[in-house]
Amino acid sequence: MTRRPGAAAGGALSHFRICDFTGQLAGAGATRFLAAFGAQVIRIEDPVPEGRWDILRGNPPYVDERRGIELGGAFNNHNVEKLGITLNLRTERARELLRQLIGVSDVVSENFSAGVLDRWGFDYEALKAIRPDIIYVSNCGFGHSGPYRDYKTWGPIVQAVSGLTFGSALPDEPPAGWGYSYMDHTGGYFMAIAILMALHHRNVTGEGQWVDLACTEAACTLNGPALLDATVNGRPLRREGMPHANRSQFPPMAPHNIYAARGEDNWIAVACRSDEEWRALRELVGERWTQDPRWDGLSGRLEFEDELDRNMELWTRGHERFELAARIRDAGLPATAVQRPEERIDKDRNTEGWGLWPSVKHTVIGDARVDGLPVHLSETDWRLERGAPCLGEHNDYVYGEVLGLAPAEMASLREEGVI
């Protein structure tokens, strides 16, 4: 297997090239996985900064006081290990260059709204005419078929229409939402898996295909047991006492909640999974209320769960969260302090040991930490060392080395605003 420049040495996917139009996280997060395992991902962007396709370029968070289109922290995080080129697809010469790049690529990936590549003249049939075994992967809000095909989406919209916002709340409170587009993560996961499945199919059969992914439908899969409860048992999610985002209904447990601990805005999570674990917890607590026979069986603990939780919190409030969590775990129950993100990054030895936030070298930003992958392969592990590409940073390599253009021609393309 020959490693292509811009692909991780020894990477499991280093023999694949991806012509990548993805942005934000739902798409860029998918090709990020593939780049981490060695795929050569060539990210295409508009050369006109004010017309750029990815709004995360230049947007916060930042590592210091500097600002500009190369300094967006989220963009750097989502596009590590990728190559970056510019291409002005308003021109016919740029479209011809794109045809050449597609001809030497294994995958074309994008997460534009439905129909954007069609309008540019690069629908699946056109892609097949360029390379018959091409894999085309599109990821948009509702996919390219169905009555919602032309709807536009964004993270909170996807959460709302998929049913997840409705289920994120506490009893007698309005739907809360999640405040961040976790659906982009889900869409990225499905997209990465879909690309790998399509590549495997082509390895076996020689046949390419169009992978049409609907990010909102991917989000629907996270409703899980709530959908089953409604369809099988006829029980709506929002009913008396429901939903309760910190309790377990599937399977039922009690006590199972987030409880206040000593100090300001400190919390502890406890999961009691069985009567045996309740007896161990009761012995640890050692207070009179735990002897109430109503708590002896799960049915009683569930029937009087509100009172049980109030008693639990009166007890947990008197303890430091990390120390109490350790004592509960020693008693045989799952428990943990509710940690702030910065505590996981800077203070958690297990996270450090997993290498979950490696530092990469960005051409302008310098050294910056990014998300790693929570998985390690013994023979072909991931690698993240190079930061996201600056706008057009790899034009010379891709147009010169991959497509074989002469320096004089590339200079002319720059003057004409093609690249």
Side-chain angles (χ1 to χ4, degrees):
M1 180 184 301
T2 302
R3 180 173 68 94
R4 289 172 170 165
L13 304 177
S14 60
H15 53 309
F16 292 119
R17 176 178 290 137
I18 299 174
C19 177
D20 188 31
F21 286 98
T22 63
Q24 288 81 52
L25 177 56
T31 53
R32 181 189 198 275
F33 289 125
L34 308 182
F37 283 99
Q40 186 188 73
V41 179
I42 301 176
R43 195 179 195 284
I44 302 172
E45 297 184 84
D46 192 328
V48 182
E50 60 269 21
R52 61 188 184 271
W53 299 323
D54 195 329
I55 66 167
L56 297 183
R57 262 204 179 278
N59 283 353
Y62 307 108
V63 299
D64 52 35
E65 71 283 353
R66 293 174 297 164
R67 302 293 182 267
I69 63 170
E70 310 296 1
L71 297 164
F75 182 87
N76 182 41
N77 181 65
H78 303 338
N79 292 284
V80 287
E81 290 294 339
K82 300 178 186 178
L83 304 181
I85 65 171
T86 50
L87 195 57
N88 183 357
L89 290 169
R90 303 170 190 84
T91 68
E92 179 53 39
R93 182 68 179 102
R95 290 190 286 272
E96 177 54 36
L97 289 172
L98 178 57
R99 294 184 189 99
Q100 293 179 45
L101 183 58
I102 291 168
V104 294
S105 298
D106 301 283
V107 177
V108 174
S109 54
E110 53 97 354
N111 64 309
F112 294 125
S113 298
V116 170
L117 254 62
D118 296 23
R119 293 193 294 274
W120 289 352
F122 290 93
D123 60 12
Y124 179 50
E125 293 303 318
L127 296 178
K128 283 200 300 181
I130 299 167
R131 176 165 175 168
D133 65 347
I134 195 71
I135 293 167
Y136 169 44
V137 186
S138 58
N139 175 1
C140 59
F142 292 96
H144 283 71
S145 62
Y148 294 168
R149 175 187 184 275
D150 295 325
Y151 284 22
K152 302 297 188 294
T153 61
W154 201 245
I157 304 301
V158 173
Q159 291 175 33
V161 77
S162 66
L164 291 165
T165 298
F166 193 76
S168 177
L170 295 174
D172 305 317
E173 295 290 338
W178 295 353
Y180 180 77
S181 184
Y182 291 104
M183 296 308 89
D184 279 41
H185 288 273
T186 304
Y189 299 151
F190 274 90
M191 188 175 183
I193 293 169
I195 293 172
L196 293 174
M197 289 191 297
L199 286 170
H200 174 70
H201 175 78
R202 196 183 70 177
N203 285 345
V204 173
T205 67
E207 178 183 47
Q209 60 185 306
W210 178 9
V211 178
D212 187 14
L213 192 154
C215 203
T216 302
E217 305 311 310
C220 287
T221 67
L222 297 183
N223 286 292
L227 289 176
L228 289 174
D229 202 22
T231 56
V232 176
N233 301 319
R235 297 190 300 191
L237 177 61
R238 297 189 72 86
R239 56 187 189 270
E240 185 178 357
M242 292 283 285
H244 197 306
N246 292 324
R247 287 179 176 174
S248 175
Q249 284 83 37
F250 312 104
M253 307 177 198
H256 184 274
N257 214 330
I258 306 298
Y259 303 99
R262 181 192 300 159
E264 182 67 24
D265 203 23
N266 289 330
W267 307 84
I268 182 172
V270 181
C272 180
R273 300 168 295 181
S274 65
D275 293 344
E276 180 182 4
E277 288 188 351
W278 165 249
R279 289 190 290 271
L281 181 61
R282 179 173 62 190
E283 183 176 348
L284 174 65
V285 174
E287 295 185 1
R288 184 173 180 179
W289 63 266
T290 62
Q291 303 302 319
D292 190 322
R294 290 179 299 170
W295 316 137
D296 289 347
L298 176 61
S299 60
R301 295 196 299 276
L302 291 174
E303 182 178 357
F304 302 101
E305 192 169 9
D306 289 344
E307 183 180 348
L308 177 62
D309 278 342
R310 286 193 294 270
N311 283 315
M312 278 288 296
E313 187 154 286
L314 287 172
W315 176 64
T316 60
R317 277 187 180 277
H319 299 271
E320 196 278 330
R321 56 188 168 132
F322 286 98
E323 180 272 338
L324 182 57
R327 290 175 57 201
I328 296 174
R329 289 195 299 269
D330 288 344
L333 286 78
T336 184
V338 174
Q339 297 194 50
R340 297 165 176 79
E342 60 269 24
E343 290 172 329
R344 287 291 297 174
I345 293 173
D346 294 323
K347 298 178 182 179
D348 192 280
R349 290 182 295 129
N350 187 65
T351 299
E352 181 182 1
W354 265 77
L356 198 52
W357 277 282
S359 287
V360 299
K361 177 75 73 174
H362 185 277
T363 304
V364 175
I365 295 173
D367 292 332
R369 283 193 296 189
V370 296
D371 292 338
L373 278 64
V375 58
H376 290 292
L377 280 68
S378 64
E379 305 303 324
T380 54
D381 206 7
W382 54 269
R383 189 184 76 176
L384 296 174
E385 297 176 354
R386 186 180 61 229
C390 295
L391 195 64
E393 181 173 357
H394 301 101
N395 278 355
D396 286 347
Y397 166 71
V398 173
Y399 293 122
E401 298 295 324
V402 176
L403 299 187
L405 273 60
E409 185 175 3
M410 288 190 286
S412 176
L413 291 172
R414 287 190 178 92
E415 291 176 5
E416 297 169 10
V418 175
I419 64 175

